[in-house]
Amino acid sequence: MKNLRKKDLYIGVDVGGTKIMAALVTHAGAVLARKRMPTPRKTKGEHVIAAIGDIISVLMTEAGVDHTQVRGIGLAIPGVVAPDEGKVIVTPNMTLSGLTIGPILQKRLKMPVLIGNDANLGTLGEAWLGAGRDADSVVGIFVGTGIGAGVVVQRQLVPGFRNAGGEIGHITMQIGGPECGCGNRGCLEALASRSAIERDVRAAIQGGRKSVVTKLTNGDMSVIKSSVLSRALKQEDEVVTSIMRRASEMLGYACLTVRHLLDPEMIVLGGGVIEACGEFIVPIVEQVLGLHSMPGSIDNTVVAVSQLGDDAVAIGAAALIHSQLEHHASMAAEHTLHGLTTPHIMCDAHGVKIDGVTYAGDVMIRADGRIKEPDFTPALNDAGFTELRTKALAKLCAKGAPQILIVGTDKPERLAFSTKADALLQERGITRHVCSIPDALELYRKETGSRVLYVHRQQ
Ligand SMILES: [Zn+2]
């Protein structure tokens, strides 16, 4: 693929509990190649990370692209993540909990790596290239074993203040209702996911009701797949039909709540249950929404079925790194438009001047392009050196998966990093440069990668 411009490609990886899927996506959103492999089971998180690294390497080799052509990698994790640190907080079905997977892979693959929640990224994928590609605001609800969801407003993911937003699956639909995997009761997930439907079908049959599910599962009802539910619906099985109608209504009322709260242009429904039984479910959801249209609204929220299917999450992961780096690039373009380099920095007797604003004291430019006056001061260590510690580093490197940290200071020879700070940089795969302020500005201007500039005045 030599005809492609340099740095024109993105890689999105869907790290699932059963399979890992990586996609090579162009700047314009064309999927050039895909690679799939089973997730290593019953093994340490480190082995799963190694497998992710391998699949990315194989994908690139098979597609004939090298490092210079890929701008970055997005990873979708099924669980709670801290995107700023690239850390997995909890993955219920995997062994990645507690691991700083982003920095580890960034160091290994020498490319920026960002991570996100899988359902959030599935929504971002649908908003970028799928059913919601023409919509400005999209809410995605994915019905499978559980119910995952995501919110995209003005084409940007809304992760929430604590990265815990968009959890539509855990809206309380029935006070004191059935127990949910999250520990609460009566969540949408506990009433309308495949697991909830399965539980109710099983209970009905065990309670003496007749259903084709008994035959379709050969009597083993430990798992009732979406395909079995679909076949039972086609055979107009009374038990499955009534339970699924109730679940679909619940989903409809959850969509109604979403509409009242966000009024999105479109709600995209996806996941295994929708793929198998969407023809039955979607009209019921639409009916609930239609029956409750808001006075004054011209037309109703559009409900659409996911168009990317299995690809949605990997494409969304590529969209995550794409949008983050694009944001950086568009800021750069804006400056170029005004005839300036990006951003315009210089230093004079008064301090450091960034885009016309003079900072007499400390200042930083984070990897996401934000210019900030730091709210921390480096401490003095026992040897009398100015010392940068982990707290300061966490703030410097908080956003945008930086690869390089450039520190400019009056006396570079008297600036040190604490042992823990050094370890943190190493762990996150960030290279550090400490030099005089003019040299730091020069270096910042010359570098093109994801970088942080920190100017510190040592009085
Ligand atoms: Zn819940």
Side-chain angles (χ1 to χ4, degrees):
M1 294 197 186
K2 293 212 172 70
N3 53 340
L4 282 163
R5 270 193 295 136
K6 266 192 171 187
K7 298 273 180 191
D8 220 6
L9 301 173
Y10 300 85
I11 292 174
V13 188
D14 176 0
V15 184
T18 53
K19 67 171 193 306
I20 300 172
M21 209 274 265
L24 184 69
V25 184
T26 67
H27 170 87
V31 180
L32 297 181
R34 289 177 185 78
K35 191 79 202 166
R36 225 180 277 261
M37 64 175 271
T39 307
R41 307 285 272 177
K42 295 187 179 118
T43 178
K44 284 185 185 161
E46 181 50 40
H47 296 142
V48 180
I49 295 177
I52 297 167
D54 290 346
I55 193 171
I56 291 168
S57 303
V58 174
L59 177 79
M60 286 172 63
T61 310
E62 286 187 1
V65 304
D66 62 40
H67 274 76
T68 62
Q69 290 166 297
V70 180
R71 290 195 70 187
I73 296 160
L75 295 181
I77 307 289
V80 183
V81 299
D84 291 347
E85 297 160 53
K87 187 175 177 179
V88 179
I89 308 295
V90 188
T91 39
N93 304 314
M94 295 181 88
T95 48
L96 295 171
S97 303
L99 293 176
T100 48
I101 184 169
I104 294 172
L105 281 168
Q106 176 160 311
K107 195 175 165 191
R108 209 167 284 177
L109 300 163
K110 298 184 176 60
M111 279 184 258
V113 176
L114 289 177
I115 73 170
N117 164 270
D118 60 349
N120 278 337
L121 296 184
T123 307
L124 194 62
E126 288 292 340
W128 189 29
L129 300 175
R133 66 184 169 276
D134 296 321
D136 195 52
S137 51
V138 177
V139 170
I141 304 179
F142 301 90
V143 187
T145 314
I147 295 184
V151 176
V152 170
V153 174
Q154 290 182 332
R155 314 203 66 80
Q156 294 287 317
L157 199 57
V158 183
F161 184 66
R162 295 165 196 83
N163 294 300
E167 286 292 352
I168 293 153
H170 300 285
I171 292 178
T172 305
M173 300 298 296
Q174 186 188 332
I175 295 168
E179 201 173 320
C180 179
C182 72
N184 296 318
R185 288 187 167 275
C187 299
L188 176 66
E189 180 169 301
L191 294 159
S193 65
R194 192 183 53 74
S195 321
I197 294 164
E198 187 179 272
R199 174 202 62 214
D200 291 349
V201 170
R202 219 162 26 219
I205 294 170
Q206 279 158 5
R209 292 188 64 187
K210 291 266 175 291
S211 165
V212 294
V213 169
T214 314
K215 203 173 137 213
L216 291 172
T217 56
N218 293 320
D220 175 15
M221 285 182 294
S222 55
V223 175
I224 305 173
K225 289 184 179 168
S226 300
S227 56
V228 168
L229 295 173
S230 162
R231 285 167 72 188
L233 285 174
K234 286 202 177 94
Q235 293 178 35
E236 294 177 2
D237 181 76
E238 266 182 45
V239 171
V240 171
T241 305
S242 67
I243 288 168
M244 287 214 45
R245 176 168 295 123
R246 179 88 185 130
S248 307
E249 283 168 1
M250 284 291 176
L251 188 60
Y253 280 97
C255 289
L256 194 61
T257 300
V258 166
R259 196 192 69 196
H260 289 322
L261 187 66
L262 297 166
D263 186 23
E265 192 172 340
M266 181 180 276
I267 296 175
V268 177
L269 300 178
V273 175
I274 300 291
E275 269 168 44
C277 312
E279 276 177 38
F280 177 86
I281 297 168
V282 176
I284 298 173
V285 171
E286 283 175 330
Q287 196 192 12
V288 173
L289 283 172
L291 289 174
H292 301 82
S293 63
M294 282 293 271
S297 62
I298 302 153
D299 48 25
N300 223 321
T301 312
V302 176
V303 179
V305 173
S306 151
Q307 285 178 3
L308 302 177
D310 254 9
D311 275 355
V313 175
I315 288 175
L320 173 76
I321 187 84
H322 176 266
S323 68
Q324 180 79 40
L325 297 176
E326 275 304 288
H327 174 68
H328 208 103
S330 73
M331 289 188 34
E334 225 167 88
H335 289 292
T336 315
L337 213 66
H338 295 97
L340 301 169
T341 49
T342 323
H344 189 258
I345 39 175
M346 55 176 284
C347 71
D348 59 21
H350 306 289
V352 176
K353 209 169 173 184
I354 305 172
D355 289 343
V357 181
T358 301
Y359 299 86
D362 290 6
V363 64
M364 62 180 178
I365 306 175
R366 287 191 322 208
D368 64 352
R370 286 276 294 275
I371 300 158
K372 287 200 151 197
E373 288 177 276
D375 57 357
F376 57 84
T377 330
L380 279 182
N381 70 9
D382 297 340
F385 280 48
T386 305
E387 191 171 79
L388 276 172
R389 298 181 180 161
T390 48
K391 231 180 184 168
L393 280 190
K395 292 195 169 167
L396 286 167
C397 303
K399 301 274 173 176
Q403 290 180 289
I404 307 163
L405 168 66
I406 303 162
V407 182
T409 187
D410 313 295
K411 294 179 199 136
E413 69 286 355
R414 303 215 43 96
L415 188 132
F417 285 75
S418 72
T419 318
K420 275 190 185 167
D422 252 338
L424 183 76
L425 285 175
Q426 189 135 39
E427 186 189 302
R428 292 189 55 176
I430 301 168
T431 316
R432 63 175 167 85
H433 298 276
V434 180
C435 43
S436 71
I437 295 170
D439 284 354
L441 302 190
E442 181 61 28
L443 189 59
Y444 184 84
R445 277 193 291 264
K446 270 207 281 193
E447 284 292 340
T448 49
S450 179
R451 61 209 192 278
V452 178
L453 174 70
Y454 172 47
V455 175
H456 171 59
R457 301 282 181 187
Q458 292 155 299
Q459 276 86 25

